[in-house]
Amino acid sequence: SVNSFSLNEKILEAENELSQQKNALLMAEATLLRTNNSKNRMLMLGTSIALVLSLIIIVLMILNLSARKKTAQKLKDKQKIIDAKGVELEKKNKELKKINDGKDMLFSVITHDMKQPFNQVSSFIELLKAEGSIDDSLKKLLDDIKESTEATLASMNNLLLWSKAQFLNIKTEPEKVKVKNVLQSVIAEFGNTIDTKSLTLQTICTESSSAFVDKIHLEIILRNLLSNAIKFSSHNSTIEIRVSIQNRETSITVKDYGKGMTKEEVNQIFDKQKYFSTPGTLNEKGTGIGMLLVMEYIQENNGEIHVESTLNEGSSFTVKFPNKV
């Protein structure tokens, strides 16, 4: 009986130990299960987040693609409008070019047709003066007619140049210009008038003197300044033309010792509202537009003009232009 009890006790201990091991195994399995469940939940959460992000990215890509399509369509529509306007502008440019060409041709014809009668009158006067049988009074009359003709032609040239510049919108094209060459060309145009008034022309200009200016504008400016100096000079007087270089400027001064002007007249010669003009020493007429043209071209070439004048003593006009770019 004792042996049997000891055996049963051992069996119970073994079973108890086995039961404890089973419990430990079950607890380990439960812990593992909880760990797996936690991992599964994390995995599901991560998968869900990834899925949501993927959906968001897909939606954004779809919206972006749609926006790009709309933008591309808008650009395409705008390009069509631009192309249509380009065709229209090209058509208008051709029409404007045709009109401008017509204007240019019109001015050329007008200039030629209006100059021709004046040139014919001048030639006819020269022929009459060449005749040895004319008396001094007739010769004086012919000289007056020729001078009036030349003055009228100069005024007409100023009007035509100004009108052409306004209507055709001619652009200013400054370049390095040799002042002496332009000056000699302009002086040659007034040879007869200078001789008629027995004027002495003193010119100081070096070969290297240059200005950065539109050549045609410089010719017009010098022509008008010299024309006015001759116009308001008395017989046997002197006209001085000085060209000097100071720093980055070229200075051109045209000075006469003739009629001169008052301060009020000096202030009016560049007034666009008044077209100020006074007769010359031989009652030469003018339109007053010459000095306005001079002022306009000086401004367009980044230049400036200064006027000094004393009544009955003479006038001095100084224009300044850049001599470098």
Side-chain angles (χ1 to χ4, degrees):
S1 297
V2 173
N3 292 334
S4 176
F5 178 79
S6 297
L7 180 61
N8 289 333
E9 186 177 357
K10 288 181 180 180
I11 292 171
L12 288 173
E13 289 177 356
E15 289 178 353
N16 187 30
E17 185 179 353
L18 181 61
S19 178
Q20 289 177 356
Q21 290 178 354
K22 286 182 178 180
N23 289 335
L25 182 61
L26 289 173
M27 290 178 64
E29 290 178 353
T31 301
L32 181 61
L33 183 61
R34 286 195 299 270
T35 302
N36 289 335
N37 289 337
S38 178
K39 289 182 178 180
N40 289 335
R41 284 196 298 271
M42 292 295 294
L43 182 61
M44 290 181 64
L45 180 61
T47 304
S48 299
I49 292 173
L51 182 60
V52 170
L53 290 175
S54 299
L55 290 174
I56 292 173
I57 292 172
I58 292 171
V59 170
L60 291 175
M61 291 178 65
I62 292 172
L63 292 175
N64 185 39
L65 183 60
S66 177
R68 285 188 177 183
K69 286 183 178 180
K70 289 181 180 179
T71 303
Q73 185 62 40
K74 288 181 180 179
L75 289 174
K76 190 175 181 180
D77 294 339
K78 287 183 179 180
Q79 187 62 45
K80 288 181 179 179
I81 295 172
I82 292 172
D83 292 340
K85 288 185 177 180
V87 173
E88 185 178 354
L89 284 174
E90 186 177 357
K91 183 178 179 182
K92 288 184 177 180
N93 285 335
K94 288 182 179 179
E95 293 176 356
L96 287 173
K97 186 177 183 304
K98 186 176 180 180
I99 293 172
N100 286 333
D101 291 342
K103 287 181 180 178
D104 199 10
M105 182 177 294
L106 177 63
F107 275 108
S108 298
V109 172
I110 290 174
T111 302
H112 179 270
D113 290 350
M114 291 185 72
K115 282 184 178 180
Q116 190 67 20
F118 290 101
N119 293 331
Q120 290 175 349
V121 170
S122 296
S123 300
F124 182 67
I125 291 173
E126 290 296 331
L127 289 174
L128 288 177
K129 287 173 64 177
E131 294 289 333
S133 59
I134 63 173
D135 56 22
D136 292 339
S137 59
L138 180 57
K139 187 176 180 180
K140 176 67 169 59
L141 178 61
L142 291 174
D143 288 337
D144 291 342
I145 293 173
K146 183 178 180 182
E147 188 168 348
S148 177
T149 301
E150 290 176 349
T152 304
L153 180 59
S155 298
M156 184 198 69
N157 284 334
N158 281 332
L159 286 169
L160 288 173
L161 286 170
W162 181 82
S163 301
K164 188 174 182 180
Q166 297 299 314
F167 281 100
L168 299 182
N169 193 25
I170 299 175
K171 294 183 179 179
T172 303
E173 298 180 353
E175 59 180 329
K176 188 176 182 180
V177 178
K178 294 287 186 181
V179 178
K180 188 171 185 178
N181 295 340
V182 178
L183 193 56
Q184 288 175 340
S185 175
V186 171
I187 291 173
E189 297 178 16
F190 295 96
N192 291 332
T193 310
I194 291 173
D195 293 339
T196 300
K197 282 193 170 183
S198 301
L199 301 175
T200 300
L201 188 62
Q202 296 180 352
T203 304
I204 301 175
C205 180
T206 63
E207 293 287 346
S208 60
S209 297
S210 62
F212 191 73
V213 63
D214 187 297
K215 185 178 180 180
I216 296 176
H217 290 177
L218 181 61
E219 289 177 355
I220 296 171
I221 292 167
L222 294 178
R223 186 179 295 114
N224 278 279
L225 293 180
L226 182 56
S227 174
N228 281 346
I230 295 170
K231 176 181 175 181
F232 296 111
S233 291
S234 302
H235 276 77
N236 300 313
S237 63
T238 301
I239 296 176
E240 299 175 358
I241 301 177
R242 297 189 306 274
V243 181
S244 60
I245 308 296
Q246 295 179 352
N247 297 327
R248 297 175 64 88
E249 285 185 333
T250 297
S251 177
I252 306 171
T253 299
V254 179
K255 181 178 178 60
D256 67 77
Y257 297 88
K259 192 172 182 178
M261 294 180 288
T262 63
K263 289 183 178 180
E264 290 76 14
E265 289 174 334
V266 171
N267 293 331
Q268 290 177 356
I269 57 177
F270 298 118
D271 191 338
K272 293 183 179 181
Q273 304 300 323
K274 296 185 178 181
Y275 290 92
F276 175 73
S277 178
T278 57
T281 54
L282 293 180
N283 203 32
E284 300 99 323
K285 299 294 189 299
T287 61
I289 199 173
M291 292 309 297
L292 296 181
L293 199 62
V294 167
M295 187 63 179
E296 182 175 335
Y297 287 158
I298 288 174
Q299 291 175 344
E300 288 186 9
N301 287 275
N302 298 317
E304 55 186 66
I305 184 168
H306 302 281
V307 183
E308 296 179 1
S309 185
T310 303
L311 190 62
N312 299 322
E313 292 185 11
S315 302
S316 176
F317 289 79
T318 300
V319 294
K320 295 181 179 180
F321 296 106
N323 56 28
K324 294 182 179 179
V325 182

